[in-house]
Amino acid sequence: MARKMLIDGELDKPNEQEAQYDFDLFVIGAGSGGVRASRFSAQYGAKVGICELPFHPISSEVVGGVGGTCVIRGCVPKKILVYGASFGPELEEARSYGWELNERVDFNWKTLLQKKTAEIVRLNGIYKRLLANAGVKLFEGEGRVVGPNEVEVIQLDGTKITYSAKHILIATGSRAQRPPIPGQELAITSDEALSLEELPKRAVILGGGYIAVEFASIWRGMGATVELCFRKELPLRGFDDEMRAVVARNLEGRGINMHPRTSLTELVKTEDGIRVRTDHGEEITADVVLFATGRAPNTKRLNLESVGVELDKTTGAVKVDDYSRTNVPSIWAIGDVTNRMNLTPVALMEGTYFAKTVFGGQPTKLDYSNIPYAVFCIPPLSVVGLSEEQAIEEANGDISVFTSTFNPMKNTISGRQEKTVMKLVVDGETDKVLGASMCGPDAPEIMQGIAIALKCGATKAQFDSTVGIHPSSAEEFVTMRSVTRQIPARKPTTST
């Protein structure tokens, strides 16, 4: 029997007779967002159940794991590999700093792979303990919605158990997609790329987003020959164009072969590997072909439409309002499955606000402005706020752009020819900083602090009045005094 819940703000009527449910909340999907929503809801006094597929590093329709994509086959293992890939070039640069290394420096992929796997297993256990300590009941199996207040869990032995819940939360995330190219079964996605038994010597990557440029950096840093094929002129569509060009230049400077305006047309298995054909008639032979061409919301097996939940017809994403509620009042959704802003920290925030809204009596909308994010290519790119192009589109007045391009101090000794680039986009009328970007070492660590300033509405004058930390790259953000370019306000169109 479910305990009496806290009143859900305006969402429930205090004098309405409570129906009896097995759970106040049942969550399908124990990734970052689902675990956060479960724990915080339980802290508000709710009786919470959650289900997740059994653990495996490579996801499918029948395996997953507590912790979800980010912990098991996303951000965390990816960042571990980025660290691993960074050591190779840094060891070479160490010679310039007086470190006398043997001529041959070997890299053991299997050692790193074992360490990576051990870490995600450890984190999987930590997430399970977090749920248990919060009093959340964890069920291992596949969950599906069978009614507005009913969830069916298909257990590992195939048996099905149905639970009732006052509220159901969908937090099943997303899954990597494969483009319909002949021979597509020969390619891998990021899931498999994080668990390859052998490090490839030759890699072809299709895609120009986060995952594509990150794996290009990882494999190149570990010594592989990398061919990066993408459809646009520059990688990272949607980012600031100037910073996209910086990333492309850095990737090329580190030995990655760039193929802009290029798609793949066919993959063929040969004795020497995989023969890849492009739409320009090129043929490339590779040990591994990685498809990094986007992800799709995990909704196919949830049975949502049969209970009336509206999905996006193109992507399959769950449609929700500003409070993460679907058109069925008892069913909610957060994270990548809603295809809003597909970032782990955003899913965490959505989970927090869901718990506040439904069980904390504090209906709360998420503010999606000034959310910082990073691309962990080598060196990384990190941004917050508006790009120059977005600012021009959205601002009513003039836009001032401040940039700084310099050789980091570390490179002056090592001899690496790789510039760090920083950028501020400022509203010419209000002096408010609208956006900040950086491509260079430690960019994400620096940008997290800049994000606080933008969230507080900082002006360029306030940046200028801040004393820098010297010597550091970060101080450049408070010493950019000269305007690089001024973009006049767009004239409103008039009808004739």
Side-chain angles (χ1 to χ4, degrees):
M1 182 186 296
R3 293 178 285 105
K4 182 175 175 63
M5 293 169 53
L6 297 175
I7 300 304
D8 307 340
E10 61 184 9
L11 302 174
D12 283 322
K13 296 178 181 177
N15 59 354
E16 192 176 283
Q17 185 176 356
E18 285 286 332
Q20 301 301 308
Y21 300 100
D22 297 321
F23 294 96
D24 300 326
L25 170 67
F26 198 99
V27 182
I28 301 178
S32 299
V35 169
R36 171 66 64 88
S38 301
R39 292 172 52 223
F40 281 34
S41 296
Q43 288 171 10
Y44 283 119
K47 183 181 180 183
V48 183
I50 188 169
C51 70
E52 177 56 70
L53 297 168
F55 173 86
H56 196 279
I58 301 172
S59 69
S60 73
E61 292 179 338
V62 293
V63 291
V66 175
T69 297
C70 178
V71 169
I72 299 171
R73 62 194 73 85
C75 330
V76 172
K78 177 270 304 287
K79 187 75 179 290
I80 290 171
L81 297 193
V82 169
Y83 282 136
S86 300
F87 280 111
E90 287 179 359
L91 285 169
E92 289 302 317
E93 292 169 14
R95 299 180 196 276
S96 299
Y97 279 86
W99 289 90
E100 297 179 358
L101 306 173
N102 294 330
E103 286 302 312
R104 181 179 176 83
V105 177
D106 293 325
F107 171 66
N108 189 319
W109 165 252
K110 291 187 184 297
T111 297
L112 178 57
L113 193 64
Q114 289 166 1
K115 295 284 189 180
K116 181 273 296 182
T117 302
E119 176 60 10
I120 64 174
V121 169
R122 185 185 73 87
L123 292 172
N124 172 253
I126 286 175
Y127 270 69
K128 286 181 177 180
R129 288 195 294 277
L130 287 172
L131 290 170
N133 292 342
V136 177
K137 176 67 175 174
L138 173 63
F139 300 89
E140 197 167 57
E142 181 181 4
R144 59 199 297 266
V145 180
V146 292
N149 298 98
E150 282 190 309
V151 171
E152 179 184 83
V153 178
I154 305 170
Q155 300 185 111
L156 302 185
D157 62 2
T159 59
K160 299 177 181 179
I161 302 178
T162 301
Y163 297 98
S164 62
K166 184 168 186 180
H167 297 279
I168 297 170
L169 177 65
I170 307 300
T172 48
S174 61
R175 182 172 295 140
Q177 296 299 291
R178 294 170 179 265
I181 297 171
Q184 57 151 312
E185 70 281 357
L186 299 173
I188 63 172
T189 68
S190 56
D191 280 12
E192 295 89 355
L194 290 162
S195 298
L196 288 174
E197 290 188 9
E198 300 291 338
L199 179 67
K201 290 184 173 62
R202 304 163 298 174
V204 171
I205 300 173
L206 176 62
Y210 287 73
I211 293 170
V213 300
E214 288 170 346
F215 271 99
S217 289
I218 288 167
W219 284 336
R220 181 61 195 146
M222 294 173 179
T225 299
V226 178
E227 314 287 337
L228 181 59
C229 305
F230 46 97
R231 290 183 298 174
K232 302 294 182 181
E233 179 69 30
L234 293 167
L236 299 175
R237 180 171 59 89
F239 283 76
D240 186 286
D241 284 348
E242 186 173 12
M243 304 310 289
R244 294 170 68 197
V246 172
V247 171
R249 190 163 62 243
N250 288 346
L251 294 175
E252 202 162 25
R254 288 191 175 240
I256 294 165
N257 299 316
M258 309 288 278
H259 300 264
R261 303 180 304 280
T262 300
S263 294
L264 306 188
T265 58
E266 185 182 34
L267 275 60
V268 178
K269 182 69 175 173
T270 69
E271 290 183 2
D272 190 33
I274 302 169
R275 186 172 67 241
V276 178
R277 291 196 178 101
T278 76
D279 55 353
H280 298 301
E282 295 174 283
E283 289 194 355
I284 308 167
T285 300
D287 304 309
V288 163
V289 178
L290 170 64
F291 285 164
T293 49
R295 300 177 65 85
N298 267 332
T299 53
K300 286 184 180 178
R301 294 165 65 96
L302 293 174
N303 198 45
L304 290 169
E305 288 182 297
S306 70
V307 296
V309 174
E310 191 176 355
L311 304 180
D312 183 273
K313 289 181 172 56
T314 303
T315 65
V318 181
K319 290 188 174 183
V320 293
D321 64 14
D322 291 339
Y323 297 95
S324 298
R325 197 174 206 169
T326 73
N327 61 305
V328 177
S330 58
I331 301 177
W332 310 69
I334 60 170
D336 287 14
V337 76
T338 65
N339 200 33
R340 287 178 284 184
M341 195 169 207
N342 299 337
L343 298 167
T344 297
V346 174
L348 292 170
M349 189 65 75
E350 288 170 355
T352 300
Y353 285 11
F354 162 82
K356 277 187 176 182
T357 296
V358 180
F359 298 105
Q362 307 168 62
T364 309
K365 297 180 183 179
L366 183 63
D367 178 9
Y368 290 92
S369 64
N370 292 320
I371 291 175
Y373 44 103
V375 182
F376 289 97
C377 46
I378 303 174
L381 167 68
S382 192
V383 303
V384 63
L386 302 182
S387 67
E388 182 177 337
E389 292 73 30
Q390 289 170 327
I392 293 169
E393 188 70 29
E394 296 181 20
N396 295 320
D398 295 352
I399 296 295
S400 300
V401 177
F402 298 79
T403 60
S404 178
T405 301
F406 58 94
N407 206 28
M409 181 181 285
K410 184 179 179 182
N411 290 358
T412 62
I413 301 298
S414 70
R416 177 175 289 281
Q417 299 301 307
E418 189 173 76
K419 303 290 188 183
T420 286
V421 179
M422 294 177 168
K423 182 173 185 176
L424 290 175
V425 178
V426 180
D427 187 305
E429 183 178 342
T430 65
D431 198 42
K432 185 177 179 180
V433 178
L434 302 175
S437 307
M438 175 180 175
C439 185
D442 303 316
E445 311 296 336
I446 294 168
M447 199 57 61
Q448 182 67 77
I450 301 294
I452 298 171
L454 265 64
K455 200 71 175 175
C456 294
T459 63
K460 181 63 168 62
Q462 289 171 324
F463 269 67
D464 293 344
S465 67
T466 302
V467 176
I469 298 171
H470 183 75
S472 71
S473 294
E475 68 179 314
E476 290 291 322
F477 272 120
V478 299
T479 58
M480 288 189 269
R481 300 283 190 264
S482 302
V483 177
T484 303
R485 55 186 169 274
Q486 193 92 19
I487 298 109
R490 297 179 64 181
K491 293 181 180 178
T493 56
T494 55
S495 55
T496 57

